Amino acid sequence: MVPEEAVRLLDDDILVLMEEASGLAARIHPILRDSIGDLVRSMNCYYSNLIEGHDTHPHDIDRALANDFSNEPKKRDLQQEAVAHIHVQRLIDTGRDPDAWPASAAYASWLHEEFCSRLPPEMLFVDDKKTGARLEIVPGEWRKRDVQVGRHIPPPHEDLPRFMSSFDKAYGSPRLTRTRQIQTVGAVHHRLLWIHPFLDGNGRVARLMSHALFKRLGVGTSLWSVARGLARNEDRYKTLLAQADGPREGDLDGRGNLTQRGLVAFCKFFLERSVDQIRFMSELLEPATLLMRIEIHVEEEVRAKRLLRGSFAVLREAVMSGEVERSKIPALTGYEERGARNVTAGLVDRGMLTAATHRAPLRLAFPVEVAERWFPNLYPANAGSRT
């Protein structure tokens, strides 16, 4: 269940992860983190969906968040799935998740129920490949039948309470130090998938659990997500998951029934992908280069007469200070009050700025068209289909 303490292969990865995560968190103004969090949650949802074989275009996710759903049933279902995922991650990011330790049976059940209860009824069924029967997914409940996932045969359904009790004991132990807990995040991810407690939705629950666990351990934030790293290395992700399912290979391969080497290899991959994603976001959010990308984009928009001159000065203030007081906009833009209001209106209309009320300070927002320019490579070039 947990890599043995004698294993030192993961030590350097843990130290790098802690250092890189701390550097990223310190780089961004606390107010701006909230806006970035909205962007990262949509990104995380897109990549988590992709791993599940659900290719939902970022534009469709944006529309769904604005309560603009497609008339096409399948696309609408996927949009509702995206909204459900983002809802759950927002609860985690804002500290509105349960007090239960994330690596626990109770937390897994909460994740599954919170997510599945927001899905359309059509998505709460799976087909039995052997009999063709439609099987209902009950949000938050352990499966009540045996299943096979590829070549893997998870534990019998009647043994799930015992396996989930062992899960709790292994990962909720107060004897584990913080570094040991960080070391085992990949193991938690793998072992939950190995147990496969739910009829469907186990992969999504495992990834949300990993996100919550990193956050509780002080290295995860709303500024990054491992899901992008897993999706961009999906073949290796699934190969290492399968290899960690293998039986123990001799006396030097740990003490349990499953291979220690396979588990450690997956944990190392998981930590490396996490570090890779923190570094990716750190580069994107480096203030000087971020401002340069914003300025180039805004200049193009001004030349095309889609924005007014002075727009960049307002956006720069939002990046550096986290938000912009409306009273400062005339001085920032060089316009009188009416002209300053026109600049503001243009940025709000384009979705680049948002505010809780018409008098509240303005904060950055990142609709997909903007995110594609300000944050290159956030999504793959051929993400979904624009319809």
Side-chain angles (χ1 to χ4, degrees):
M1 298 290 284
V2 177
E4 295 177 3
E5 290 192 55
V7 174
R8 300 298 179 197
L9 187 63
L10 306 176
D11 287 356
D12 288 346
D13 295 305
I14 294 168
L15 293 174
V16 172
L17 175 65
M18 295 169 68
E19 181 180 347
E20 296 281 352
S22 177
L24 173 59
R27 175 170 291 176
I28 305 301
H29 193 287
I31 296 175
L32 183 56
R33 287 180 205 167
D34 293 339
S35 299
I36 299 294
D38 290 337
L39 174 67
V40 171
R41 280 186 286 273
S42 290
M43 177 198 73
N44 185 34
C45 168
Y46 168 79
Y47 282 107
S48 198
N49 284 356
L50 206 59
I51 293 171
E52 299 298 324
H54 299 170
D55 195 354
T56 311
H57 194 280
H59 285 267
D60 292 326
I61 296 175
D62 250 18
R63 294 186 187 116
L65 291 172
N67 204 33
D68 177 14
F69 292 92
S70 172
N71 292 323
E72 197 277 304
K74 185 175 180 180
K75 182 178 288 187
R76 183 174 63 249
D77 287 349
L78 292 177
Q79 286 180 303
Q80 289 180 284
E81 178 187 53
V83 171
H85 181 111
I86 291 168
H87 164 79
V88 178
Q89 189 171 331
R90 184 181 289 110
L91 293 179
I92 295 169
D93 288 342
T94 56
R96 292 179 288 157
D97 53 340
D99 291 334
W101 185 244
S104 68
Y107 199 93
S109 182
W110 173 79
L111 284 170
H112 192 265
E113 181 175 10
E114 196 69 32
F115 172 69
C116 289
S117 63
R118 284 169 170 74
L119 295 180
E122 295 77 10
M123 299 189 79
L124 291 176
F125 290 90
V126 294
D127 295 326
D128 187 316
K129 294 182 180 179
K130 292 183 179 179
T131 67
R134 293 194 81 203
L135 308 174
E136 184 180 2
I137 301 165
V138 181
E141 287 192 11
W142 309 140
R143 57 183 165 84
K144 291 182 170 58
R145 60 188 300 124
D146 296 343
V147 295
Q148 181 169 344
V149 185
R151 296 182 180 179
H152 174 54
I153 300 177
H157 70 279
E158 62 266 20
D159 289 339
L160 287 176
R162 179 168 60 87
F163 274 89
M164 293 309 295
S165 177
S166 297
F167 186 88
D168 284 347
K169 291 175 183 176
Y171 302 123
S173 172
R175 294 174 298 173
L176 294 177
T177 64
R178 178 173 176 246
T179 53
R180 287 279 284 150
Q181 287 175 324
I182 295 172
Q183 183 189 60
T184 63
V185 173
V188 170
H189 186 91
H190 175 272
R191 292 322 194 210
L192 184 74
L193 292 175
W194 186 87
I195 297 170
H196 199 86
F198 306 106
L199 196 58
D200 194 34
N202 295 276
R204 194 178 301 274
V205 166
R207 288 185 290 277
L208 285 167
M209 179 179 284
S210 299
H211 182 77
L213 193 51
F214 273 139
K215 183 175 182 292
R216 292 282 186 96
L217 290 170
V219 291
T221 69
S222 60
L223 296 175
W224 68 278
S225 168
V226 70
R228 181 179 179 274
L230 300 179
R232 287 169 62 86
N233 295 266
E234 186 175 354
D235 289 345
R236 182 155 175 76
Y237 170 50
K238 293 182 175 178
T239 296
L240 289 174
L241 273 174
Q243 289 177 357
D245 284 344
R248 182 184 181 197
E249 300 174 358
D251 294 340
L252 299 180
D253 192 19
R255 296 190 296 271
N257 294 325
L258 300 181
T259 169
Q260 173 90 210
R261 292 192 190 97
L263 180 63
V264 169
F266 181 75
C267 289
K268 184 171 178 62
F269 166 80
F270 204 86
L271 290 171
E272 288 173 346
R273 291 304 92 209
S274 298
V275 170
D276 176 70
Q277 291 310 297
I278 295 172
R279 287 175 171 169
F280 170 73
M281 290 305 297
S282 292
E283 290 177 5
L284 283 185
L285 295 173
E286 199 284 317
T289 53
L290 173 60
L291 286 171
M292 180 178 67
R293 290 193 297 270
I294 293 174
E295 184 174 18
I296 291 171
H297 181 218
V298 170
E299 285 179 352
E300 292 176 4
E301 296 298 293
V302 169
R303 286 198 296 271
K305 301 188 184 305
R306 290 188 289 263
L307 287 175
L308 294 174
R309 293 198 178 278
S311 296
F312 174 66
V314 179
L315 296 174
R316 180 177 58 201
E317 176 69 12
V319 171
M320 302 308 295
S321 301
E323 60 185 14
V324 185
E325 294 289 345
R326 295 173 188 266
S327 60
K328 292 183 178 180
I329 294 178
L332 289 169
T333 61
Y335 289 114
E336 297 294 335
E337 190 169 331
R338 182 176 178 179
R341 282 201 303 269
N342 290 337
V343 171
T344 302
L347 292 169
V348 170
D349 288 345
R350 294 295 304 281
M352 298 177 180
L353 289 179
T354 187
T357 70
H358 70 281
R359 293 185 177 181
L362 295 149
R363 299 183 180 187
L364 283 180
F366 308 101
V368 172
E369 293 85 352
V370 169
E372 289 173 341
R373 292 297 305 272
W374 297 0
F375 303 100
N377 301 319
L378 196 67
Y379 297 104
N382 59 344
S385 58
R386 293 172 185 263
T387 55

